Every structure is written in C-alpha cells, then in structure tokens.
Amino acid sequence: MSDSAHYRFQSDQAKRLARQVTDAAVREKLLEMADEYGRYADMIEARAAEQIAVEATAH
C-alpha cells in the first residue's frame, strides 16, 4: 500500500468511526483526524506529481 493510500484508508476509517460514536466531541475529533489524513494524502500525491514532472523535463 502506498503512503497516500494508507492515509486515505485511515481517513475512511476515522469517518466510519465518527458515524458510529454517540459522543459529539469524539465524533468531531474523528472528523478532524479524517480531514488531516486526507490532507496528508493530498500532499504526498502532489509531491509525487511534482517529482514526475521534474524528472520528465530533465530527460
């Protein structure tokens, strides 16, 4: 599993848990964590795309 896929999986897990808990504070924290995991995945994918672009122009 790639790093970005790992973080997307963690984001999905946190969202699933958030739907199941009854405590509003816990739900909110899980949703915050899900968003953060999604941002990590986005950053990893953006860096990978940049690296591919740099390598393509170098050749």
Side-chain angles (χ1 to χ4, degrees):
M1 178 182 292
S2 70
D3 287 343
S4 64
H6 168 76
Y7 285 115
R8 297 254 181 247
F9 176 78
Q10 294 300 326
S11 177
D12 290 343
Q13 290 292 93
K15 288 175 188 175
R16 275 191 218 108
L17 284 171
R19 286 192 295 268
Q20 296 173 5
V21 298
T22 56
D23 185 305
V26 172
R27 183 182 310 112
E28 182 63 30
K29 186 62 178 172
L30 285 165
L31 292 172
E32 288 173 15
M33 290 170 56
D35 287 344
E36 192 164 339
Y37 282 130
R39 283 193 301 274
Y40 288 154
D42 291 343
M43 288 180 358
I44 290 167
E45 291 168 358
R47 283 190 203 139
E50 279 181 24
Q51 186 62 33
I52 289 169
V54 167
E55 290 173 2
T57 57
H59 295 141

